[in-house]
């Protein structure tokens, strides 16, 4: 499983496809002949319009098929639950999952659906008068970020809404995504994480020596996480062990090498930044702002445990090297970031490395690099205007979210496949984390709280992404609705079999 920006801490075993999806591949999900096709009431249409309001699929509404062949409510619910489970386990936020499920169920003429995300599961209920109530549940146990899988699942949803695929084909594609291996082999992910550590160390005010140390230290932490993950150690203890090793290595480097405390702090800060579950932090902020507070609380608790584990690991590393007798004066150390030109170049490299580490497809890499450079330029302009860190991150994320939403709709890919590598390359608070880490090493009062607050500044990124998505949804929706109208018009002009031909009887 990939945590944060691609660091593998717990290997995910091969997932066995659920029975509902496997039956779909075997042909169990054939359209069911309905004597009376389902007809959505005005109230149900209004509920769907409210759920899809402000999304790219806001024009989707239920409508009975011309031949009367429809999928049963159980078939639609099973498929939608499988779809939502794959999207949540791949790093999608709850609002994106809700929009995808409602759009798919409405396209397949299932209107009276209630959807809920109570913590780490998905509940879906279909209830209409004079018919039995049908309910479904999926527990989401795997968490992480797999941009390649998320991108492909988004393509399945887009093809369903555009009437370009049926349930059997969509189910087969969903099974392929569940059974698929990671997009890139582990050696590519490890190399990308090493490059990302070099870039983040330089962004945190480090030198070439600290950048080289960050590359070596990140490689050590990755293999430590992989070793502990094979023993199914909880993420909290993995974070403790990784940060204890990183802090111990930084302290020993200061004592027995020419690396000064500032260089060591930037080297360890790069590992801190990369070990943080940034996609989960951003998704938590998006869920809380969008109204999915139950899921946001569950995710927030997991993030809090990871941050607490990292703080505990730093303390353990400092205690284990107390015999070294390090004297660090944080006020005498000045960390300076990269120059504007080098910052733009570093953002592009970091976005490319993070795209490979997160499993994104190759064609998304140059798009993410361009988005990261543009976002870094916005942040630099905000810094010249003396705008605070949180507001600068939110403004940069808002513009990134708007551009990515519009670009993704035009290219028919997931917006997250552009957003996640770009914000990890341009918006991570590396320098703030390095400053707070120096305070922590120097045992300054309140340094633990300062470190936690510098880490949680990434919550502003989630707020900005929600704002950017709202701003750009109008243009993206027009692109999706245009494709849907063109496809619907082509379907209307195709010859349809008569009722007798559909029953297998010759037309008299």
């Amino acid at each position: 499983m990939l945590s944060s920006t691609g660091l593998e801490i717990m290997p995910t075993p091969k997932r066995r496809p659920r029975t509902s999806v496997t039956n779909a591949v075997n042909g169990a999900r054939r359209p069911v002949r309905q004597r009376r096709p389902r007809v959505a009431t005005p109230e149900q249409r209004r509920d769907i319009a409210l759920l899809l309001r402000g999304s790219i699929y806001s024009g989707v509404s239920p409508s009975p098929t011309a031949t009367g062949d429809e999928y049963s409510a159980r078939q639609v619910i099973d498929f939608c639950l499988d779809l939502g489970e794959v999207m949540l386990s791949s790093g999608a936020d709850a609002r994106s999952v809700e929009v995808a499920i409602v759009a798919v169920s409405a396209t397949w003429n299932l209107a009276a659906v209630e959807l809920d995300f109570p913590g780490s599961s998905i509940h879906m209920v279909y209830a209409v008068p004079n018919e039995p109530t049908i309910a479904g549940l999926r527990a989401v146990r795997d968490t992480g970020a797999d941009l390649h899988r998320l991108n492909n699942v988004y393509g399945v949803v887009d093809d369903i809404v555009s009437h370009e695929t049926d349930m059997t084909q969509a189910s087969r594609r969903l099974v392929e995504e569940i059974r698929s291996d990671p997009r890139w082999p582990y050696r590519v992910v490890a190399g990308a994480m090493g490059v990302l550590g070099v870039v983040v160390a330089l962004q945190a005010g480090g030198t070439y020596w600290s950048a080289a140390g960050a590359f070596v230290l990140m490689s050590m932490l990755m293999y430590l996480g992989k070793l502990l993950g094979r023993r199914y150690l909880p993420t909290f203890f993995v974070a403790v062990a990784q940060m204890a090793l990183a802090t111990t290595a930084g302290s020993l480097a200061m004592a027995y090498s020419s690396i000064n405390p500032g260089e060591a702090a930037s080297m360890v800060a790069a590992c801190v930044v990369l070990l943080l579950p940034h996609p989960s932090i951003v998704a938590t902020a998006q869920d809380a702002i969008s109204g999915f507070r139950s899921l946001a609380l569950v995710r927030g608790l997991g993030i809090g445990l990871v941050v607490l584990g990292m703080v505990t690991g730093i303390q353990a590393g400092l205690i284990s090297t107390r015999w070294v007798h390090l004297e660090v004066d944080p006020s005498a150390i000045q960390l300076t970031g990269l120059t504007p030109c080098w910052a733009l170049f570093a953002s592009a490299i970091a976005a490319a490395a993070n795209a490979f580490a997160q499993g994104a497809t190759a064609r998304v890499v140059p798009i993410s690099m361009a988005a990261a450079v543009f976002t870094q330029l916005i942040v630099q302009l905000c810094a010249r205007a003396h705008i605070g860190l949180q507001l600068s991150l939110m403004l940069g994320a808002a513009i990134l979210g708007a551009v990515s939403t519009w670009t993704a709709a035009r290219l028919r890919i997931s917006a997250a496949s552009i957003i996640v590598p770009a914000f990890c390359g341009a918006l991570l608070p590396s320098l703030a984390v390095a400053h707070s880490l120096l305070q922590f090493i120097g045992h300054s009062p309140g340094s633990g709280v300062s470190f936690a607050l510098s880490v949680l500044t990434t919550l502003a990124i989630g707020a900005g992404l929600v704002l950017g998505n709202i701003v750009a949804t109008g243009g993206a929706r027009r692109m999706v609705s245009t494709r849907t109208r063109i496809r619907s018009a082509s379907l209307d002009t195709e010859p349809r079999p008569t009722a007798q031909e559909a029953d297998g009887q010759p037309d008299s």
Side-chain angles (χ1 to χ4, degrees):
M1 181 179 67
L2 294 181
S3 171
S4 177
T5 53
L7 183 56
E8 183 175 356
I9 58 176
M10 293 183 66
T12 303
K14 285 288 185 177
R15 297 179 57 193
R16 183 178 61 184
R18 297 186 178 275
T19 304
S20 59
V21 183
T22 307
N23 289 340
V25 179
N26 295 331
R29 280 184 177 169
R30 297 187 179 91
V32 177
R33 170 69 69 178
Q34 303 285 340
R35 294 299 178 183
R36 290 183 300 176
R38 293 188 296 264
V39 179
T41 63
E43 293 78 8
Q44 294 172 355
R45 292 179 178 274
R46 184 167 58 250
D47 292 341
I48 291 178
L50 290 175
L51 290 173
L52 296 179
R53 182 177 58 183
S55 69
I56 60 176
Y57 299 128
S58 61
V60 177
S61 61
S63 60
T65 59
T67 61
D69 291 335
E70 294 184 320
Y71 304 111
S72 68
R74 169 55 63 187
Q75 291 173 337
V76 177
I77 288 178
D78 284 341
F79 178 86
C80 289
L81 290 174
D82 293 329
L83 174 68
E85 181 189 2
V86 175
M87 292 184 68
L88 282 179
S89 62
S90 300
D93 61 288
R95 175 57 179 165
S96 300
V97 177
E98 181 188 52
V99 168
I101 290 178
V102 174
V104 169
S105 61
T107 302
W108 286 336
N109 198 30
L110 192 68
V113 171
E114 294 291 339
L115 189 63
D116 189 24
F117 298 87
S120 58
S121 60
I122 307 174
H123 289 185
M124 195 171 180
V125 179
Y126 172 74
V128 293
N130 303 323
E131 291 187 22
T133 300
I134 301 175
L137 168 68
R138 288 290 185 277
V140 183
R141 296 182 176 88
D142 299 332
T143 57
D146 192 333
L147 298 182
H148 177 66
R149 176 179 295 170
L150 186 61
N151 203 37
N152 292 342
V153 172
Y154 174 84
V156 173
V157 175
D158 195 68
D159 289 343
I160 292 173
V161 175
S162 301
H163 305 283
E164 297 180 6
T165 186
D166 58 10
M167 182 178 289
T168 302
Q169 296 173 347
S171 299
R172 186 177 292 111
R173 292 168 62 182
L174 200 60
V175 170
E176 291 176 356
E177 295 305 322
I178 293 175
R179 294 175 174 173
S180 63
D181 294 326
R183 180 65 180 87
W184 304 106
Y186 185 75
R187 60 180 180 275
V188 175
V189 176
M193 290 299 298
V195 173
L196 194 57
V198 170
V199 175
V200 174
L202 294 175
Q203 290 177 335
T207 61
Y208 296 108
W209 287 110
S210 58
F215 182 89
V216 175
L217 190 55
M218 276 305 304
S219 301
M220 295 171 58
L221 294 181
M222 290 185 68
Y223 283 102
L224 175 63
K226 186 177 181 180
L227 177 63
L228 296 178
R230 287 177 177 174
R231 300 181 179 272
Y232 298 100
L233 197 67
T235 308
F236 173 82
F237 298 106
V238 175
V240 172
Q242 288 176 324
M243 285 314 305
L245 175 61
T247 308
T248 302
S251 300
L252 295 179
M254 283 189 292
Y256 298 105
S257 68
S258 58
I259 294 180
N260 58 47
E263 293 174 329
S266 62
M267 178 181 67
V268 178
C271 300
V272 172
V273 170
L274 295 181
L275 286 174
L276 285 172
H278 292 291
S280 297
I281 295 176
V282 173
T284 300
Q286 291 176 303
D287 293 340
I289 295 173
S290 301
F292 300 93
R293 294 178 178 84
S294 298
L295 185 56
L297 287 175
V298 173
R299 283 180 167 175
L301 179 61
I303 294 169
L305 289 175
V306 172
V307 175
L308 178 61
M310 296 176 69
V311 174
T312 305
I314 293 175
Q315 293 176 342
L318 293 177
I319 292 175
S320 64
T321 56
R322 183 177 294 177
W323 53 273
V324 179
H325 301 294
L326 293 174
E327 295 293 336
V328 178
D329 183 12
S331 60
I333 301 174
Q334 297 294 330
L335 294 177
T336 57
L338 297 173
T339 61
C341 293
W342 280 110
L344 295 176
F345 178 75
S347 297
I349 299 300
N354 194 31
F356 284 105
Q358 296 278 8
T361 55
R363 71 165 181 155
V364 178
V365 173
I367 303 175
S368 301
M369 294 175 64
V373 171
F374 182 71
T375 305
Q376 179 63 234
L377 184 60
I378 298 299
V379 173
Q380 290 185 10
L381 293 177
C382 291
R384 290 181 178 271
H386 301 288
I387 299 177
L389 176 61
Q390 286 78 9
L391 185 56
S392 299
L393 292 178
M394 191 175 71
L395 290 177
I399 297 176
L400 172 63
V403 173
S404 300
T405 300
W406 186 86
T407 304
R410 185 176 182 85
L411 299 178
R412 301 186 68 177
I413 60 177
S414 172
S417 61
I418 303 175
I419 290 175
V420 174
F423 86 71
C424 288
L427 297 177
L428 294 184
S430 308
L431 195 58
V433 172
H435 278 295
S436 62
L437 193 60
L438 272 177
Q439 301 292 329
F440 206 104
I441 295 175
H443 303 285
S444 301
S447 57
V449 177
S450 175
F451 172 76
L453 291 178
S454 64
V455 164
L456 295 179
T457 52
T458 50
L459 290 173
I461 300 175
L465 292 177
V466 173
L467 178 60
N469 179 264
I470 293 174
V471 171
T473 296
R477 182 172 58 245
R478 285 190 291 271
M479 296 180 190
V480 174
S481 60
T482 300
R483 293 198 305 263
T484 304
R485 285 197 302 269
I486 294 174
R487 179 62 180 170
S488 300
S490 64
L491 289 176
D492 292 338
T493 57
E494 292 177 358
R496 298 181 180 274
T498 63
Q500 294 178 345
E501 291 175 345
D503 293 335
Q505 300 176 1
D507 190 1
S508 57

